[in-house]
Amino acid sequence: MSEHLCDSERCATYWPLPDVDLTDLTLFSQGFPHDVFTQLRQNDGVLYHPATPLTPDNEGFWVFTRYQDIVPLARDIDTFSSHRGGARTGGGTMIEDLPSAAGPGTVINMMDDPRHKALRRLMAPGITRGRIAALEPVLTVAARQAIVSALTKGEGDFVSDIAAELPLFAIAHLVGIPPEDRHPISGWINAVLDYADRQLGQSSASSQQGMQQFMAYAQRFVEQRRQAPGDDIVSLAIAGELSAELGSLTPMEQVMVFSVVMVAGLETTRNAIAGGILTFIQHPQQWLLLQREPVRMNRALEEILRWTSPTPYNRRTATRDVDVAGKRIKAGEKVTLWWASANRDEQQFENPFAFDICREKNAHLAFGSGGHSCLGAQLATLEMRVVFRELLNHIDTFALNGPVEWVRSNKHTGIRRMPLRYKGL
Ligand code: HEM
């Protein structure tokens, strides 16, 4: 690793693992580094990570690792902003500051109340329980087709053949994206979210190109919906009013509604599905148990979410000086909440390193917590249920058929490629 640059007196005091740099993506290139976070939790739940040569903005940040510290912090959305705080102009929910035009203040997950709450209310009717339930029959057909086709080949990349297909199908169906546009869109998003060829805070030719193509598409799509609105989540956001005082969404905010639904919904669910199958390969007794007793599906899905935690962390910015767990956090400082660490917290979960599809107490934080908790949780869970049910219905065993390639990112714990061999029932 990398030398830590002491940007304050906190450096020596609060960072117990001088050889560990959470902004070095290599640390995350084989999945989430649970061993590191177990050590961090044992040291202290609230730590200060100093800037290193790899840290974006050359600025340290707070690291919250324990369940009991993270939950109240996520709830206190006045003190811990998803937009910005202190003197900084940019902000957002990633370690690197994004400039205001690129998300903070304009996209729901990087917005503060009251605008955030009003936008959440505006989007919610586009993703109600009833609308999601209505997707189940078409999703089932799509999952069955993808699985039967993979089974016919006998082997293939589980990620592109199955895990990525269902979320793409579901979101595209929900938003009304024509079939021929779906794969180009997911390709652009992959290029933006995968740090294969760059460091945090940097862009590459492929990520820039992906972003430009995605945003150009988003703008065209929103314009079409302005001309001919439907009853989908994007049309609702364009046509509706936030409130009498707040008025309507700006044109940029409208584009960002399209953008967040696509970006938040594709990679995460793909990673939960692929990560779930890899976990079953590593814990074959649990797959056998689910095969024998499929009524355990609901608990199994919650356990897959806890175990895989596809979104490892989100950031906030302190809006005022505040004392938390004996530490003084200053206005404007970055604070990171590590959901994936909380999900293995020994103080919260019994035997957290056991993958147990019968786990009873499982209030995991895979979908976040507090005012910004995931708006797509029900949709994601339905997609997972449909895929795992269809896999149970068609596939007896599956095995790795080559090395697993992980996404190189500390923002998404994901699998880029996972070659599998299948045996049908
Ligand atoms: C397994 C799949 C998923 C995981 C693990 C996941 C995870 C999360 C997490 C951790 C947050 C909280 C962000 C924060 O606190 O800063 C969040 C928010 C959000 N998610 Fe998901 N998500 C998933 C699927 C989806 C899907 C399918 C959608 C599609 C509609 C979606 C849309 C959103 C939106 C719009 C927010 C922002 C909510 C707000 O700021 O009020 N997510 N998600």
Side-chain angles (χ1 to χ4, degrees):
M1 138 135 160
S2 50
E3 105 223 41
H4 280 284
L5 309 173
C6 269
D7 57 352
S8 78
E9 74 283 359
R10 294 192 174 92
C11 185
T13 323
Y14 292 138
W15 194 244
L17 303 179
D19 288 339
V20 168
D21 179 353
L22 298 182
T23 57
D24 179 356
L25 299 184
T26 310
L27 182 65
F28 296 81
S29 58
Q30 297 298 316
F32 188 77
H34 281 292
D35 51 337
V36 165
F37 279 85
T38 300
Q39 289 183 63
L40 293 176
R41 278 194 308 279
Q42 283 162 358
N43 267 282
D44 198 330
V46 181
L47 297 154
Y48 190 77
H49 187 295
T52 74
L54 293 173
T55 311
D57 312 325
N58 195 25
E59 188 185 341
F61 52 93
W62 291 92
V63 173
F64 278 60
T65 61
R66 292 184 190 158
Y67 193 100
Q68 296 301 339
D69 295 321
I70 289 177
V71 169
L73 195 148
R75 275 199 200 123
D76 186 357
I77 56 181
D78 292 332
T79 310
F80 296 101
S81 164
S82 292
H83 178 185
R84 63 173 179 219
R88 67 178 72 242
T89 47
T93 57
M94 311 202 308
I95 293 173
E96 60 266 44
D97 258 356
L98 296 180
S100 274
T106 50
V107 60
I108 182 168
N109 59 315
M110 301 192 194
M111 228 181 228
D112 291 334
D113 288 351
R115 207 168 178 80
H116 159 259
K117 203 181 227 167
L119 177 52
R120 212 174 146 104
R121 248 195 324 261
L122 198 58
M123 287 171 69
I127 193 165
T128 54
R129 199 179 284 270
R131 272 186 193 235
I132 289 167
L135 277 176
E136 184 160 354
V138 275
L139 274 184
T140 302
V141 172
R144 197 170 295 155
Q145 274 170 359
I147 290 167
V148 168
S149 139
L151 197 53
T152 312
K153 286 191 287 173
E155 58 180 45
D157 173 25
F158 181 80
V159 177
S160 53
D161 289 345
I162 298 171
E165 277 302 299
L166 253 277
L168 184 58
F169 182 90
I171 296 277
H173 213 269
L174 197 73
V175 177
I177 295 171
E180 64 277 13
D181 294 348
R182 296 175 185 175
H183 285 103
I185 293 178
S186 73
W188 301 328
I189 295 174
N190 281 341
V192 175
L193 297 187
D194 192 329
Y195 283 75
D197 53 358
R198 62 201 166 108
Q199 298 297 342
L200 272 190
Q202 295 176 349
S203 57
S204 64
S206 68
S207 73
Q208 276 172 15
Q209 202 187 18
M211 179 61 94
Q212 278 161 8
Q213 288 175 303
F214 177 74
M215 288 310 281
Y217 186 93
Q219 268 156 358
R220 283 198 305 276
F221 187 88
V222 167
E223 188 48 44
Q224 279 165 10
R225 284 294 186 269
R226 275 191 208 115
Q227 307 296 330
D231 67 346
D232 56 275
I233 193 164
V234 177
S235 301
L236 292 174
I238 294 172
E241 222 188 28
L242 291 166
S243 70
E245 299 81 55
L246 297 171
S248 304
L249 293 182
T250 64
M252 192 48 165
E253 285 171 333
Q254 295 172 358
V255 170
M256 287 301 194
V257 168
F258 174 84
S259 162
V260 75
V261 170
M262 299 305 299
V263 175
L266 289 190
E267 295 278 316
T268 46
T269 321
R270 172 195 98 177
N271 292 335
I273 294 170
I277 286 299
L278 179 60
T279 311
F280 278 121
I281 291 173
Q282 292 161 340
H283 300 81
Q285 294 304 325
Q286 297 288 308
W287 179 252
L288 287 176
L289 180 59
L290 191 60
Q291 270 182 327
R292 260 197 327 266
E293 300 175 31
V295 293
R296 298 191 186 274
M297 182 63 90
N298 286 351
R299 282 205 182 144
L301 297 179
E302 295 305 319
E303 182 66 344
I304 291 167
L305 285 160
R306 182 187 76 87
W307 190 263
T308 58
S309 292
T311 301
Y313 85 91
N314 284 107
R315 170 193 147 193
R316 304 290 186 256
T317 309
T319 57
R320 61 180 175 91
D321 290 359
V322 56
D323 293 326
V324 183
K327 310 282 164 60
R328 157 91 10 145
I329 299 178
K330 296 192 192 133
E333 287 186 329
K334 300 176 178 179
V335 180
T336 53
L337 313 182
W338 292 83
W339 317 115
S341 170
N343 282 344
R344 298 285 169 95
D345 187 342
E346 307 68 10
Q347 303 296 318
Q348 179 65 24
F349 296 98
E350 212 181 305
N351 210 356
F353 281 88
F355 175 67
D356 175 8
I357 63 165
C358 305
R359 185 178 291 279
E360 282 180 22
K361 288 191 187 148
N362 195 358
H364 64 75
L365 304 183
F367 288 126
S369 178
H372 284 276
S373 65
C374 182
L375 202 54
Q378 283 176 6
L379 174 60
T381 312
L382 172 70
E383 292 170 31
M384 291 170 67
R385 177 174 302 111
V386 166
V387 173
F388 283 99
R389 194 176 56 211
E390 289 307 306
L391 285 168
L392 282 176
N393 286 343
H394 292 88
I395 291 188
D396 184 24
T397 56
F398 35 81
L400 283 179
N401 197 23
V404 174
E405 269 177 50
W406 291 86
V407 173
R408 189 170 174 274
S409 164
N410 64 2
K411 194 64 191 65
H412 288 272
T413 300
I415 298 175
R416 192 188 292 142
R417 224 177 90 78
M418 184 164 70
L420 291 192
R421 229 184 4 255
Y422 309 99
K423 187 165 140 309
L425 280 171

